[in-house]
Each structure stands twice: as C-alpha cells, then as structure tokens.
Amino acid sequence: MFASREWLDTWWRHFGGDRRRLIASVRDGPGLVAIVPAYAWRSRGLPVLRLIGHGVGDQLGPVCEPRIAAAAFAAALKALPLRRFVLLAEQLPAGAGFDRINGAVPMYQEQSPVIALDEGTWDEFLAGRSANFRRQVGRYSRRLDALGTVTFRITSDPAQLGADFDVLLRLHRLRWGTTTSPFLEAAAFHREFAAIALRRGWLRLWTLEVDGRPVAASYGFRFGDTESGYQSGRDPSFRESQLGFLLLNRAVREALADGMREYRLLRGGEAYKVRLATGDPGLETIGLARGAAARGALRMAMAARG
C-alpha cells in the first residue's frame, strides 16, 4: 500500500514542497516493468535524491515484481539526467539485492516483524503460541470484561471517520504522555489518507469501548492479502487491562478469519512485535554517490551517523 498512487500522491501534497519530482519508468522492450518514485532537493548545490513516501511510509522501493526490484532500481539510476548526486534510499526490503547495486553503501537496517496467518483458525493460531501467551489472552480479556460492556468497533461510515480519527489522536497523546510525536506531526497527512483508504476499502480503524467510552484505538490498513498495523493509542488509566495487547489480538483475529495471508507489524523491533511475529524480513537503507563531491558528502554523512 505504501507504493500505491494514493499514498504517494497524498505524501507529495503534504511533504513535496518545492522539490523536483523524478519518476523513472523502466521498460523491457515495449512493456513497462517498474516505476521508481523519487525526488531531488539541493543541499549546498548538490542534488540529494530520496524516495517519495519516506518517513511516514513503511516498505519503499520500485513499484514492480519483487524479484526484479534491485535490477529495476539500478536501471533507473543509470538513466538519471544528473551527473552528480547523493542518493539516500530508505526503507528498502532487505535481502532483495539493493546493497549489491554498483556503488551502493549499506547504511543501516531496521526490523520489520511479520505474522504469517496460515494457522487456519484463531484457536489454531493460539495453539502455536506459548502457554504464557494463551494465559495472558484469557486473563486480560476477563479483566477487561469485568470493567463493563466491551465493544470492538471498526469505522465504516465516512460520516463517523472524523470523530473516530479524533479519538485515535487523543488516545495516542495519552499513550505517549506528550503533545507531539512523529505520528501527531503528520496527523494532517494521515487524516486525509484515512478518508481515501476508507473509500477504497483499505482502512482498518478500530475503537475499543467500555460502556460506550473509547479507551483504545488502532489505525491500520488492509491491502490485497496483507493487513498492517500502523499506529495506536490507549487510555493509560486502563493499564492493567493491557488494552493495546487485546486490540492487536482482535485485529489479527479478524485478519485471520477474513483470509489475510499476513499481518505486518511494520518498522521497529519493539518487544510486543517480536513476541507475536513469525518472521522478520527487515528493511535496509543504502546510500549511493555519483561524482567526487557527492562521494565526499556521503562519507561525511556515514561518519556522522557512525
């Protein structure tokens, strides 16, 4: 979904500014086989290239068959109408060969845990977890039920979306105990994209209520046969009930029941993600420089990071 035109166009409206868009098309004979959505901005006269969608996006890279992604990216770089530049290519799928592109410098990797949903039923899914995990599911569910009437609700009405998104933002602030976070800073982007995703049937905005009071919310997407959990919020006064744990379990359970192939927990190696995940393909960031000045700038950036 992070390579969809809807996501990338929304990103450009909010973050593109006066940057120069560079959309490369890669062809094999008459056929279009890949699109590389990138942009250039200047740092002291030196063009710096980045992929459209970075930051708020998750997995980035060429829009193409996964098996040709690295080759398509390399072909696009060769065709660039620039004699010198620094490329910062973030959030690429690890292990796909991007680090083997001529001149590429691996910069860092990130975890990207995934839950494979091939167990068939929720009971079978739980059976594959530890006994401690199963006990916690039961214990926290009973603890929540004791607080009142529990409702798990997913947003489906466009007229309700604005209010539900406001609840998500409020609970996110409560969770982090701060007035700002990367998610809150990009709230206008997410609010616009949530409306687009709802129209497309992609949005998974859950609200957990106790006696009609919203106490937790999660924001994610369903695209193709994959569901992704993007961000969440919860009322810290219900900490003993482990609301985030229960809401994530509900989302995974529904994804499994609806035939999704996998549930992506997205960037970050937080303990709760690692505990649930069945695998982690990972993401990587590479740098690449063309021209002496660009190579020097890349070396300086690597030294500053290291």
Side-chain angles (χ1 to χ4, degrees):
M1 193 206 68
F2 302 105
S4 69
R5 181 166 185 167
E6 290 85 348
W7 180 272
L8 298 177
D9 282 350
T10 306
W11 188 97
W12 191 259
R13 284 193 294 274
H14 286 263
F15 308 114
D18 59 356
R19 295 158 178 164
R20 177 187 177 190
R21 197 160 11 183
L22 295 172
I23 310 297
S25 299
V26 181
R27 296 184 176 275
D28 183 5
L32 178 66
V33 297
I35 297 172
V36 181
Y39 72 85
W41 60 281
R42 290 190 173 272
S43 175
R44 298 181 180 178
L46 182 66
V48 176
L49 275 56
R50 300 178 79 177
L51 292 169
I52 295 174
H54 68 80
V56 295
D58 194 72
Q59 181 176 303
L60 306 180
V63 183
C64 63
E65 292 275 353
R67 61 183 177 80
I68 67 166
F73 198 53
L77 291 174
K78 287 182 181 179
L80 281 174
L82 298 171
R83 288 185 299 174
R84 60 193 187 99
F85 62 82
V86 173
L87 167 73
L88 180 63
E90 299 152 286
Q91 300 158 229
L92 300 169
F98 291 97
D99 58 337
R100 297 193 296 274
I101 294 174
N102 186 34
V105 178
M107 297 185 70
Y108 58 90
Q109 292 199 343
E110 299 172 270
Q111 291 179 258
S112 182
V114 172
I115 307 170
L117 301 178
D118 52 7
E119 285 83 359
T121 68
W122 179 245
D123 287 341
E124 289 170 328
F125 178 85
L126 288 179
R129 304 282 142 175
S130 68
N132 183 54
F133 182 89
R134 294 193 297 273
R135 284 193 297 268
Q136 287 184 339
V137 170
R139 181 168 67 252
Y140 295 140
S141 296
R142 290 189 296 272
R143 192 176 293 173
L144 181 61
D145 288 337
L147 298 176
T149 301
V150 175
T151 304
F152 291 89
R153 180 174 57 81
I154 193 162
T155 303
S156 59
D157 182 357
Q160 183 66 33
L161 175 59
D164 287 349
F165 200 85
D166 287 341
V167 167
L168 169 71
L169 295 178
R170 179 176 62 79
L171 291 170
H172 179 79
R173 288 189 186 94
L174 287 174
R175 173 193 178 190
W176 293 107
T178 180
T179 57
T180 186
S181 71
F183 180 64
L184 293 174
E185 290 171 354
F189 164 85
H190 288 292
R191 188 183 292 276
E192 180 181 342
F193 186 75
I196 296 170
L198 181 59
R199 292 196 298 270
R200 296 287 189 273
W202 302 341
L203 183 66
R204 305 295 286 177
L205 179 55
W206 285 95
T207 305
L208 169 56
E209 299 173 336
V210 176
D211 289 337
R213 172 188 172 186
V215 296
S218 72
Y219 167 61
F221 311 104
R222 182 175 286 185
F223 190 83
D225 59 2
T226 296
E227 188 158 331
S228 301
Y230 190 94
Q231 192 52 266
S232 64
R234 58 184 179 270
D235 187 334
S237 64
F238 289 79
R239 186 175 291 108
E240 295 301 316
S241 298
Q242 295 294 317
L243 300 178
F245 175 79
L246 293 174
L247 192 49
L248 177 57
N249 283 341
R250 180 59 177 251
V252 172
R253 181 174 183 168
E254 293 296 316
L256 180 63
D258 290 343
M260 295 295 103
R261 179 176 58 86
E262 63 182 13
Y263 191 98
R264 295 188 180 185
L265 297 160
L266 304 185
R267 286 187 290 153
E270 294 90 340
Y272 79 91
K273 294 183 180 182
V274 174
R275 184 185 184 200
L276 278 171
T278 58
D280 185 352
L283 299 172
E284 66 179 350
T285 291
I286 65 168
L288 190 145
R290 182 182 291 174
R295 287 190 290 272
L298 182 59
R299 285 194 297 270
M300 290 175 61
M302 292 288 291
R305 182 173 179 84

